[in-house]
Amino acid sequence: MEAVNSIEPGILPLVNALNTTGLVRTFSSCEGHFSPTEQTLVDRNHAYVRFVPAEDITTEQVETALGQWLIAYKKKHGLMPVRVIGYKLFTPVDDDIDVTFVIELHPFNRFDRPETKRTDIDRAIFQLAPLMERG
């Protein structure tokens, strides 16, 4: 998980690509942890980046871009061995709703060995990041 001023190296290319778009500001990420010894109460069998619209960028602009990135990835790389999904997350905070966006990268086969999952997720991150940089 991302600590203050610390981004795991495996997810860094995707975090950088998202921030470079000028559309979003990332605030949380995880490169994924697949070994049985790395598991906690929270599911860590996927990588993710959470983000919000950048200053002067609308939610609609982020929704459009997120959809374009996901479609571009699917057309170019398919659904296997990594399934890439994106969504808007609504989290209740006190009497308000916090709205953020999430991109998740899931190994398609949950029964693959941890090393295979790591390799597949790392490859997908390097495939997805350039699609964002192109706009």
Side-chain angles (χ1 to χ4, degrees), residues 88-102:
K88 192 187 313 186
L89 177 65
F90 298 89
T91 306
V93 178
D94 297 324
D95 291 334
D96 207 6
I97 297 290
D98 187 32
V99 178
T100 59
F101 291 89
V102 184

Side-chain angles (χ1 to χ4, degrees), residues 45 68 97 117 123 134:
N45 281 294
Q68 290 171 345
I97 297 290
K117 292 178 188 178
R123 182 182 324 105
R134 289 187 196 127

Side-chain angles (χ1 to χ4, degrees), residues 32-105:
H33 301 275
F34 306 105
S35 169
T37 60
E38 296 177 301
Q39 297 310 306
T40 64
L41 290 175
V42 177
D43 179 13
R44 300 177 79 195
N45 281 294
H46 64 280
Y48 70 84
V49 180
R50 293 183 181 196
F51 51 96
V52 294
E55 190 174 335
D56 298 325
I57 300 296
T58 67
T59 298
E60 291 77 18
Q61 288 174 289
V62 175
E63 290 171 354
T64 298
L66 180 55
Q68 290 171 345
W69 298 329
L70 296 173
I71 288 169
Y73 179 84
K74 183 181 177 280
K75 283 182 178 179
K76 189 164 180 144
H77 304 291
L79 296 173
M80 293 189 297
V82 172
R83 182 173 54 97
V84 178
I85 62 172
Y87 55 92
K88 192 187 313 186
L89 177 65
F90 298 89
T91 306
V93 178
D94 297 324
D95 291 334
D96 207 6
I97 297 290
D98 187 32
V99 178
T100 59
F101 291 89
V102 184
I103 291 178
E104 291 181 351
L105 298 92

Side-chain angles (χ1 to χ4, degrees), residues 8-14 30-34 46-47 73 81-82 105-107 114-130:
E8 293 174 320
I11 199 70
L12 186 59
L14 188 54
C30 179
E31 67 186 5
H33 301 275
F34 306 105
H46 64 280
Y73 179 84
V82 172
L105 298 92
H106 293 262
E115 303 80 27
T116 302
K117 292 178 188 178
R118 169 85 281 138
T119 299
D120 291 344
I121 291 294
D122 289 348
R123 182 182 324 105
I125 288 168
F126 278 100
Q127 292 170 332
L128 183 57

